[in-house]
Amino acid sequence: MLHQQLSSLLAQTDIALTELQQQQLVQYVELLDKWNKAYNLTSVRNPSEMVVKHIMDSLMVAPHLAGKQYIDVGTGPGLPGIVLAIALPDTQFVLLDSLGKRVRFLMQVKHALGLDNVTPVQSRVEDYQPSVKLDGVLSRAFASLQDMVQWCEHLIDNSGRFIALKGQFPEQELESLPTGVHFEQKISLEVPELDAERHLIILSKD
C-alpha cells in the first residue's frame, strides 16, 4: 500500500527514483512508525500521512541541492536528511540532533537501509565542528532564519549556503537577517497532496 502510494505521488513530480530507493523510503516510514510508538519521534502517527508530510515534503528539496557535503541541523528522526540521502546517494549528509534517542533511531535506520552516506551525530549545533568543508546547512522546522544563521555560521565557508525548508514565506524573518548574510533565492515547492504552502529559502554569506 505505501509503495503504491509513493509511486503515485512520485508520478506527479519530476523526481525519478529507482525501485531500490523507493523500497528504502517505504522501509524508513515503517521504521519511523515502529519506533514512534516508544520514542515519540513525530506527531504524525499514520504511515500514509508520513509519506506525504515527511517523505514527499523532504524529497522536493532534492533537485535544488548542488553540493556534495551537507549537514541537516535539528534533524529529529532524519527529516529531511535521511530522505535526501536516499534520493542523492552520491551526496554526504551529517544528521545532527541533540537528543540521544533520535540519534539512536538514525543509527538504526542507517544500518537497516545500508546508507553509507549518512553520519548521525549527537551534539548541540553550536558545539559541532565539521571535519570537512560543508556546501550547505539544511533545516526543516528547526528555528528562525536568524537563529539558524547565528548557530550554524561556523559550519560553512563563504561559498556555503543556508537552506531552510519553510511553510509560508517568512517575510518578517528575512527583514531582520543578521549582517554578513543575504537572501539569495526563494523556491516555491509543490508537494503532491499536501494542502499547505512550502518554500525553500536560500541564504548565502556576503
Side-chain angles (χ1 to χ4, degrees), residues 74-95:
T75 186
L79 298 163
I82 289 283
V83 177
L84 293 172
I86 291 169
L88 303 167
D90 296 331
T91 303
Q92 294 291 325
F93 292 89
V94 173
L95 307 182

Side-chain angles (χ1 to χ4, degrees), residues 111-161:
H111 176 69
L113 273 53
L115 298 176
D116 56 10
N117 61 330
V118 301
T119 307
V121 174
Q122 184 181 351
S123 172
R124 285 160 47 95
V125 65
E126 306 95 305
D127 302 331
Y128 179 69
Q129 293 296 335
S131 55
V132 293
K133 178 180 80 68
L134 298 168
D135 296 301
V137 174
L138 293 162
S139 85
R140 177 182 185 261
F142 167 62
S144 69
L145 293 174
Q146 294 92 321
D147 287 344
M148 182 188 181
V149 169
Q150 190 179 342
W151 295 338
C152 304
E153 206 167 0
H154 66 288
L155 300 175
I156 53 174
D157 66 12
N158 288 340
S159 62
R161 301 276 185 277

Side-chain angles (χ1 to χ4, degrees), residues 21-45:
Q21 286 170 312
Q22 292 184 48
Q23 285 171 0
Q24 286 175 315
L25 288 169
V26 169
Q27 202 180 342
Y28 172 54
V29 170
E30 289 168 350
L31 285 167
L32 196 49
D33 180 46
K34 178 181 162 188
W35 281 60
N36 204 30
K37 295 173 175 69
Y39 274 37
N40 198 23
L41 298 165
T42 166
S43 59
V44 181
R45 298 290 176 197

Side-chain angles (χ1 to χ4, degrees), residues 84-110:
L84 293 172
I86 291 169
L88 303 167
D90 296 331
T91 303
Q92 294 291 325
F93 292 89
V94 173
L95 307 182
L96 190 82
D97 204 276
S98 58
L99 267 191
K101 66 178 183 180
R102 292 180 188 147
V103 175
R104 283 194 292 281
F105 171 70
L106 294 172
M107 295 298 279
Q108 178 67 28
V109 171
K110 174 186 166 88

Side-chain angles (χ1 to χ4, degrees), residues 2 5 43-55:
L2 293 177
Q5 181 193 9
S43 59
V44 181
R45 298 290 176 197
N46 181 322
S48 176
E49 267 187 74
M50 288 177 189
V51 172
V52 175
K53 291 182 175 174
H54 289 335
I55 303 301

